[in-house]
C-alpha cells in the first residue's frame, strides 16, 4: 500500500508544466535551525516535488524560496515587517507558506498574496483576518485543543457522578498561552463546568510556585490544565506537576502539546505516570504517518508535517483553479477548491486530483491532516481536524485514541460552532419580570459617564470604544455639559498613528476623536475619585462630575482591562494581572455608591455597561443590594475574557471590543427594549456570555427602551 502511496505522491506524470510560464515561486517561512518549524523544510520539499512530478499546477512549476524567521526577528515587529517586504520583492511570487507572523500578515493582505500556515494556533489569526481573505491555515486554533481537555473533564466527571466538575487552568503569558487563557472561561461555561479563575504568569522570569498557589487558594480542582511555555517549558511542567503532588492535590493534570517530548519523561521520571494531553495528528485513516516513515526511515513525522503537506497541496489546487494566476485569482481558486463536492479524493492522490481540476471537475478534496473543509463564508480556518489523546504509561507516551472536530453528519455540530466561532449553544435564561419603583417621576434630564480605563497604543480599542460612544450620544442630542468623558487621549498624536489626529472604531470608519471634549485626559483616577465623579460629590481635584437629580436617567459605560477583583482603573497601559489590587474598582464599592445615589435621590433610572475581562464579577454586588431601577450589563462572565474586534491592518491594531461595539451600534439605533438589547448582544458577541444583573429590581425590561438613557431631547 505504501509503495502505491509514494508512487502516486512522487511518481512521474504524463503531464508537465508549460515551459512558456515562469515558475510559481512560493516563499516558505521557517524558524531558526533546531526549531520545530525548521524540521518541516524537507516536508515542504517533498510536497513541492510531488506537485512538480504531477505536472505542476496551473501549467506552472512550483519553486520554493526559504526565509528564516529567527528568534531576533520574532522579538521585533519592525524586523518581521522588513522580512515581509523582502519576501514580497521576490519575482513571480504567488503565495507564502510556513511559519506565521502576525506583524507580517497585513503586508501580504495588502499585496493580495495568499499566506497559508500549517503551524500557528493563535486564535487571533482567525478573528483578525477572516473577513479580508488571503490568510489561510491548515491547523485549527489551540482553542480546539482546550475544548477537548474540558470535554474530557466533563465526561469523566459525569461518569464519576460529580454534580459539577471543578477545573483550573495555568498558562504562560505569551501568545501560545493567551489562546488557552482567553477561551478557557467560555468553553467551561458552555460545558457546565465549575471553573476556577484562570492563572497565568511569565514563565521565562517566574517559577510556578505563585501560580500553583493561586490555583490551590481557590480549592483543589478535579482537573488542572497546564500550558507550559517560555524558554524551558519542560522545566515549567516539571515544577507544576511536582508542586501539585507535594501539596497533596490529587488533581488530574492535563498538559498542552508543548511538552509532549522525551525530555519531560526524563525530567519527571515516575511522577510523569498518568499525565494526559492532546496534540494535533494526521488523519489516522490517511496512512500519512506510515508513508512518511517508509520514505524517510524516521519513526514519526515532525509536528505539523501533515498540515505542511496540505498547505502546499491546497496552494496547488488553487493554482490549478486559477490557471496559474496568483493574487486574488489564487485566493478565489483556493476557495473554489475547498468548496468542491464532487468525487472524494485523498492526500496521496495529488496527481489525480490536479488532473480532475484541470478537466473542469470539482473534487471533494481531503488532506493528510483530515478533510480540507472550510467555512463557506469566511474560510481561513479548517472546520475539521484530528487530535490524538495521549497518556504517560510505563514511562512512555501512549496514544489511547483519536478525536476529531469534523461535524459533517455528526451530533457535535453545535459544539464545533462554539469552538470555531465562539458561538453559544447555551440558551438564554428567561429574564425575571422586574420590580422597579412604582412611582418614578417623569424623565427630566439625561447624564452620561464614559470611561476608558487604559492608555497606550496597544490598548487602542478601549479609547476608541469610549470615543465612539461619546459620538453616538452627541448625535442623539447630548451636549458636553451632560457627558463626563474620561480618556487618556494619547492615540490621535501617537507616533504609531499613520493618520495623525484621527481615531477610528472600525477599519475605514469615521474619526471618532473629531470634536471630542475630554473632561479628564491622561489622569488615572482612583476608584474613590471615580465614584465621586459618578455621585456628583465635592472634590476640588475633580473639575467635572455628574450633577444628576431624582428625575434624571444616568448612562454609565466603562471599557478597559479587568480581573476577578473588578475593572482596572489605571491609565498607564499595564495589563490587569500586573497591577496592585487597590487599583481595581471593587464591585462592592461600585454597587455601594450606586445604592447611596438612589437613596439620596441622585437618579431616576441607571443603565450601567462594563466591557472588560471578567466584568461579570460586578453583577452579584448589585444583586446583593437590590438597588431599585438599576440594570447592569457586562461583556463577559466572571471567568471569561472579553474579546476584541475590528482589526485594522493599516494600523496593525484592534480598534474595538465586541460587546462595546455591539452596544454602541444599538446606541445609534436606540428604539430597542432592554430585554431585546440583552438578547441581541448575547447572541452577537462571540467568545463570551454577555451578563445582565439586577433585572429583578429594574422594572419591565420588555417595555423600557435603551433610548430612555441614550437619547436626550431638546429641553
Amino acid at each position: 500500500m505504501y509503495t502505491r502511496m509514494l508512487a502516486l505522491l512522487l511518481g512521474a506524470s504524463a503531464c508537465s508544466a508549460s515551459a512558456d510560464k515562469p515558475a510559481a515561486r512560493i516563499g516558505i517561512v521557517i524558524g531558526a535551525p533546531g526549531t520545530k518549524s525548521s524540521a518541516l523544510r524537507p516536508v515542504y520539499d517533498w510536497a513541492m516535488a510531488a506537485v512538480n512530478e504531477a505536472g505542476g499546477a496551473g501549467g506552472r512549476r512550483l519553486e520554493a524560496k526559504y526565509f528564516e524567521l529567527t528568534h531576533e526577528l520574532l522579538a521585533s515587529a519592525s524586523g518581521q515587517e522588513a522580512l515581509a517586504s523582502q519576501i514580497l520583492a521576490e519575482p513571480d511570487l504567488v503565495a507564502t507558506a510556513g511559519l506565521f507572523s502576525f506583524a507580517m500578515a497585513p503586508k501580504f493582505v495588502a499585496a493580495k498574496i495568499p499566506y497559508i500556515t500549517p503551524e500557528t494556533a493563535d486564535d487571533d489569526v482567525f478573528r483578525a483576518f477572516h473577513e479580508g481573505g488571503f490568510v489561510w491555515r491548515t491547523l485549527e486554533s489551540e482553542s480546539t485543543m482546550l475544548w477537548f481537555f474540558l470535554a474530557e473533564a466533563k465526561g469523566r466527571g459525569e461518569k464519576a457522578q460529580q454534580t459539577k466538575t471543578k477545573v483550573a487552568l495555568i498558562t504562560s503569558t505569551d501568545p501560545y498561552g493567551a489562546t488557552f487563557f482567553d477561551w478557557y472561561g467560555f468553553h467551561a461555561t458552555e460545558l457546565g463546568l465549575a471553573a476556577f479563575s484562570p492563572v497565568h504568569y511569565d514563565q521565562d522570569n517566574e517559577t510556578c510556585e505563585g501560580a500553583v498557589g493561586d490555583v490551590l487558594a481557590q480549592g483543589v480542582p478535579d482537573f488542572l490544565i497546564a500550558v507550559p511555555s517560555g524558554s524551558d517549558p519542560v522545566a515549567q511542567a516539571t515544577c507544576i506537576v511536582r508542586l501539585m503532588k507535594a501539596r497533596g492535590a490529587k488533581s488530574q493534570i492535563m498538559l498542552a502539546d508543548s511538552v509532549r517530548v522525551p525530555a519531560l519523561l526524563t525530567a519527571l521520571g515516575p511522577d510523569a505516570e498518568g499525565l494526559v494531553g492532546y496534540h494535533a495528528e494526521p488523519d489516522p485513516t490517511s496512512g500519512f504517518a506510515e508513508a512518511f516513515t517508509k520514505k524517510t526511515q524516521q519513526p514519526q513525522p515532525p509536528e505539523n508535517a501533515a498540515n505542511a503537506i496540505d498547505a502546499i497541496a491546497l496552494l496547488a489546487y488553487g493554482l490549478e483553479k486559477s490557471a496559474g494566476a496568483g493574487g486574488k485569482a489564487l485566493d478565489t481558486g483556493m476557495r473554489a477548491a475547498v468548496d468542491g463536492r464532487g468525487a472524494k479524493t485523498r492526500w496521496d492522490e495529488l496527481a489525480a486530483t490536479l488532473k480532475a481540476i484541470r478537466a473542469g471537475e470539482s473534487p471533494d478534496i481531503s488532506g493528510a491532516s483530515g478533510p480540507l473543509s472550510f467555512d463557506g463564508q469566511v474560510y481561513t480556518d479548517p472546520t475539521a481536524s484530528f487530535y490524538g489523546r495521549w497518556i504517560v504509561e510505563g514511562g512512555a507516551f501512549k496514544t489511547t485514541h483519536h478525536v476529531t472536530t469534523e461535524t459533517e453528519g455528526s451530533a457535535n455540530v453545535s459544539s464545533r460552532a462554539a469552538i470555531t466561532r465562539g458561538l453559544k449553544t447555551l440558551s438564554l435564561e428567561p429574564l425575571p419580570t422586574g420590580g422597579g419603583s412604582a412611582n418614578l417621576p417623569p424623565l427630566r434630564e439625561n447624564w452620561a459617564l464614559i470611561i476608558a480605563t487604559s492608555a497606550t497604543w496597544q490598548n487602542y480599542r478601549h479609547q476608541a470604544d469610549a470615543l465612539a460612544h461619546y459620538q453616538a450620544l452627541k448625535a442623539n442630542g447630548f451636549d458636553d455639559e451632560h457627558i463626563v468623558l474620561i480618556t487618556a487621549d494619547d492615540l490621535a498624536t501617537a507616533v504609531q498613528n499613520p493618520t495623525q489626529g484621527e481615531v477610528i472604531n472600525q477599519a475605514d470608519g469615521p474619526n471618532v476623536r473629531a470634536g471630542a471634549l475630554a473632561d479628564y485626559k491622561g489622569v488615572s483616577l482612583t476608584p474613590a475619585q471615580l465614584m465621586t465623579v459618578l455621585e456628583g460629590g465635592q472634590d476640588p481635584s475633580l473639575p467635572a462630575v455628574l450633577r444628576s437629580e431624582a428625575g434624571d436617567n444616568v448612562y454609565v459605560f466603562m471599557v478597559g482591562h479587568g480581573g476577578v477583583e473588578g475593572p482596572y482603573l489605571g491609565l498607564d497601559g499595564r495589563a490587569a494581572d500586573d497591577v496592585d489590587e487597590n487599583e481595581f474598582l471593587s464591585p462592592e464599592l461600585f454597587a455601594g455608591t450606586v445604592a447611596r445615589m438612589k437613596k439620596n435621590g441622585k437618579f431616576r433610572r441607571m443603565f450601567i455597561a462594563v466591557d472588560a475581562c471578567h466584568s461579570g464579577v460586578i453583577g452579584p454586588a448589585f444583586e446583593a443590594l437590590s438597588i431599585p431601577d438599576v440594570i447592569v450589563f457586562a461583556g463577559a462572565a466572571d471567568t471569561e475574557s472579553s474579546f476584541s474586534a475590528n482589526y485594522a491592518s493599516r494600523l496593525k491594531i484592534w480598534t474595538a471590543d465586541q460587546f462595546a461595539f455591539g452596544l454602541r451600534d444599538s446606541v445609534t439605533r436606540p428604539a430597542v427594549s432592554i430585554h431585546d438589547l440583552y438578547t441581541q448582544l448575547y447572541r452577537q458577541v462571540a467568545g463570551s456570555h454577555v451578563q445582565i444583573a439586577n433585572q429583578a429590581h429594574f422594572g419591565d425590561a420588555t417595555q423600557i427602551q435603551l433610548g430612555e438613557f441614550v437619547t436626550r431631547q431638546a429641553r
Side-chain angles (χ1 to χ4, degrees), residues 159 188 199 300 379 522 570 583:
K159 190 174 181 180
V199 176
Q300 61 186 27
Y379 301 91
E583 296 174 283

Side-chain angles (χ1 to χ4, degrees), residues 230-294:
S231 58
D232 193 350
V234 169
Q236 297 297 331
T238 302
C239 176
I240 292 169
V241 171
R242 290 205 166 135
L243 194 53
M244 288 290 288
K245 288 180 180 289
R247 298 195 179 180
K250 296 183 179 180
S251 308
Q252 170 65 70
I253 298 178
M254 298 172 151
L255 292 173
D257 59 352
S258 56
V259 289
R260 188 182 174 272
V261 292
L264 179 72
L265 306 180
T266 302
L268 279 172
D271 287 338
E273 291 295 305
L275 296 174
V276 300
Y278 289 84
H279 68 289
E281 282 202 355
D283 179 346
T285 67
S286 69
F288 174 76
E290 297 90 340
F292 180 86
T293 299
K294 182 78 172 180

Side-chain angles (χ1 to χ4, degrees), residues 506-521:
Q506 57 186 315
D508 302 319
N511 177 16
V512 294
R513 177 62 185 83
L517 296 179
D519 297 280
Y520 298 90
K521 297 199 298 184

Side-chain angles (χ1 to χ4, degrees), residues 9-214:
L9 184 64
L10 295 172
S13 166
C15 305
S16 61
S18 170
D20 298 330
K21 292 184 177 181
R25 184 161 296 183
I26 312 295
I28 300 182
V29 183
I30 58 174
T35 63
K36 69 177 185 179
S37 174
S38 67
L40 292 176
R41 179 163 182 164
V43 179
Y44 289 122
D45 289 340
W46 180 19
M48 301 278 280
V51 173
N52 290 333
E53 290 291 337
R60 301 179 70 176
R61 182 178 180 278
L62 301 192
E63 182 178 288
K65 178 64 181 290
Y66 286 92
F67 299 86
E68 274 192 19
L69 187 55
T70 62
H71 295 300
E72 292 75 18
L73 287 177
L74 283 170
S76 166
S78 60
Q80 293 169 52
E81 292 169 5
L83 178 60
S85 297
Q86 181 185 349
I87 297 171
L88 287 167
E90 284 293 315
D92 300 315
L93 183 76
V94 298
T96 298
L99 190 61
F100 185 84
S101 160
F102 212 91
M104 289 165 60
K107 284 187 172 289
F108 290 94
V109 172
K112 295 183 169 54
I113 297 293
Y115 191 158
I116 182 166
T117 175
E119 298 186 64
T120 185
D122 180 356
D123 182 70
D124 282 352
V125 173
F126 175 82
R127 295 192 302 109
F129 299 110
H130 74 270
E131 292 184 348
F134 300 101
V135 175
W136 293 71
R137 58 182 176 183
T138 53
L139 173 68
E140 290 186 275
S141 162
E142 297 289 6
S143 169
T144 305
M145 185 191 304
L146 174 63
W147 175 270
F148 285 124
F149 280 128
L150 293 170
E152 177 174 334
K154 178 180 175 65
R156 289 169 63 178
E158 289 178 345
K159 190 174 181 180
Q161 298 184 329
Q162 293 173 232
T163 53
K164 227 175 185 187
T165 303
K166 300 187 292 294
V167 295
L169 174 73
I170 295 177
T171 77
S172 55
T173 54
D174 59 14
Y176 175 71
T179 296
F180 288 88
F181 185 86
D182 288 344
W183 286 94
Y184 160 78
F186 176 79
H187 288 334
T189 300
E190 284 289 300
L191 288 165
L193 298 166
F196 288 14
S197 295
V199 176
H200 62 169
Y201 71 105
D202 182 350
Q203 297 186 0
D204 274 335
N205 297 299
E206 300 176 73
T207 71
C208 77
E209 292 187 15
V212 170
D214 288 344

Side-chain angles (χ1 to χ4, degrees), residues 230-482:
S231 58
D232 193 350
V234 169
Q236 297 297 331
T238 302
C239 176
I240 292 169
V241 171
R242 290 205 166 135
L243 194 53
M244 288 290 288
K245 288 180 180 289
R247 298 195 179 180
K250 296 183 179 180
S251 308
Q252 170 65 70
I253 298 178
M254 298 172 151
L255 292 173
D257 59 352
S258 56
V259 289
R260 188 182 174 272
V261 292
L264 179 72
L265 306 180
T266 302
L268 279 172
D271 287 338
E273 291 295 305
L275 296 174
V276 300
Y278 289 84
H279 68 289
E281 282 202 355
D283 179 346
T285 67
S286 69
F288 174 76
E290 297 90 340
F292 180 86
T293 299
K294 182 78 172 180
K295 174 178 175 59
T296 65
Q297 307 305 309
Q298 297 180 26
Q300 61 186 27
E303 189 175 346
N304 303 133
N307 310 94
I309 286 281
D310 290 346
I312 300 303
L314 181 53
L315 286 172
Y317 298 149
L319 280 168
E320 198 62 66
K321 285 281 188 182
S322 71
K328 180 63 176 176
L330 173 55
D331 191 66
T332 301
M334 291 165 63
R335 294 184 178 213
V338 299
D339 284 345
R341 290 298 177 264
K344 288 185 177 294
T345 64
R346 292 166 51 92
W347 76 278
D348 50 4
E349 297 172 342
L350 179 71
T353 304
L354 288 168
K355 182 178 179 181
I357 295 173
R358 201 173 296 132
E361 300 174 19
S362 295
D364 188 350
I365 58 178
S366 285
S369 62
L372 289 177
S373 301
F374 290 77
D375 183 289
Q377 291 184 317
V378 295
Y379 301 91
T380 303
D381 272 13
T383 59
S385 55
F386 284 87
Y387 288 78
R389 191 264 189 188
W390 54 264
I391 187 170
V392 178
E393 287 185 351
F397 294 106
K398 176 185 176 183
T399 299
T400 60
H401 62 278
H402 290 87
V403 291
T404 179
T405 53
E406 184 177 10
T407 58
E408 189 173 355
S410 164
N412 196 35
V413 173
S414 60
S415 297
R416 175 66 213 145
I419 294 169
T420 306
R421 304 288 181 267
L423 303 179
K424 288 164 281 291
T425 62
L426 296 180
S427 300
L428 277 168
E429 294 289 334
L431 292 179
T433 306
S437 299
N439 297 305
L440 286 175
L443 177 58
R444 185 188 75 92
E445 190 58 271
N446 291 90
W447 294 83
L449 175 60
I450 302 174
I451 314 139
T453 67
S454 71
T456 76
W457 185 262
Q458 198 58 36
N459 294 313
Y460 187 108
R461 62 196 183 279
H462 300 148
Q463 293 187 68
D465 285 328
L467 290 169
H469 263 76
Y470 169 90
Q471 298 292 357
L473 292 178
K474 289 296 293 289
N476 287 353
F478 275 73
D479 57 38
D480 285 301
E481 290 298 315
H482 291 84

